[in-house]
Amino acid sequence: VQPAYPLTLAFWLSVAMAGAVVAGPLAGLAAYKLIFPIDARRRMDILVRMMVGEVAAMAANRNPADHRLVWRARLFDRMLRLTRWAEKTNDQKLSTVDGSLAVLTLGEAVLRLRALLRDPDVPSGATRGAKMALGRVAGIVEDPVRAQHALDRAARRLAREARPEAAFVHDAARALTTDLAFFRRAAGSV
């Protein structure tokens, strides 16, 4: 569209249009800074929430093994981004690498428990323990301590049955205990 001369707009209408051209980006910048201020700390919180939420979704999903490779790729990508943001902010309070590895350990335990539930030769006590642990891990964002206790009980029950999954579940419970602050950060309570 090319301008047509002489301009047929009133002077004040032209001033208002010029003001709108300037005010639009300024309003967007103000909204970005005031309504949704995104800084490095908030980006890290979002990444932690996404990682822990993904494991919770895997625990709630009946067949998470279908997406095992996608899950691991997402986790590693988020882990690298989280580590990069932690270096930028010089955040020493939270060990992002240890927390990310705890999420990885927990995810592997979830996959093992789901595989255990598909095995018809598993005793009913071990099945109940696995279901309880998966249910608690599905709610890990709300209460990571309950998930840790359920994983610990499931690991003991599986160890009594001499199941190989017991070691993975025990490692996940231990990782959850060690990096509890990381999982609490997903709930926004750190």
Side-chain angles (χ1 to χ4, degrees), residues 6-28:
L7 295 176
T8 58
L9 295 176
F11 174 73
W12 293 111
L13 189 57
S14 296
V15 170
M17 289 175 69
V21 167
V22 172
L26 288 177

Side-chain angles (χ1 to χ4, degrees), residues 117-134:
L117 291 178
R118 287 191 299 272
D119 187 357
D121 299 330
V122 177
S124 63
T127 301
R128 280 194 311 275
K131 285 181 181 178
M132 176 62 77
L134 287 170

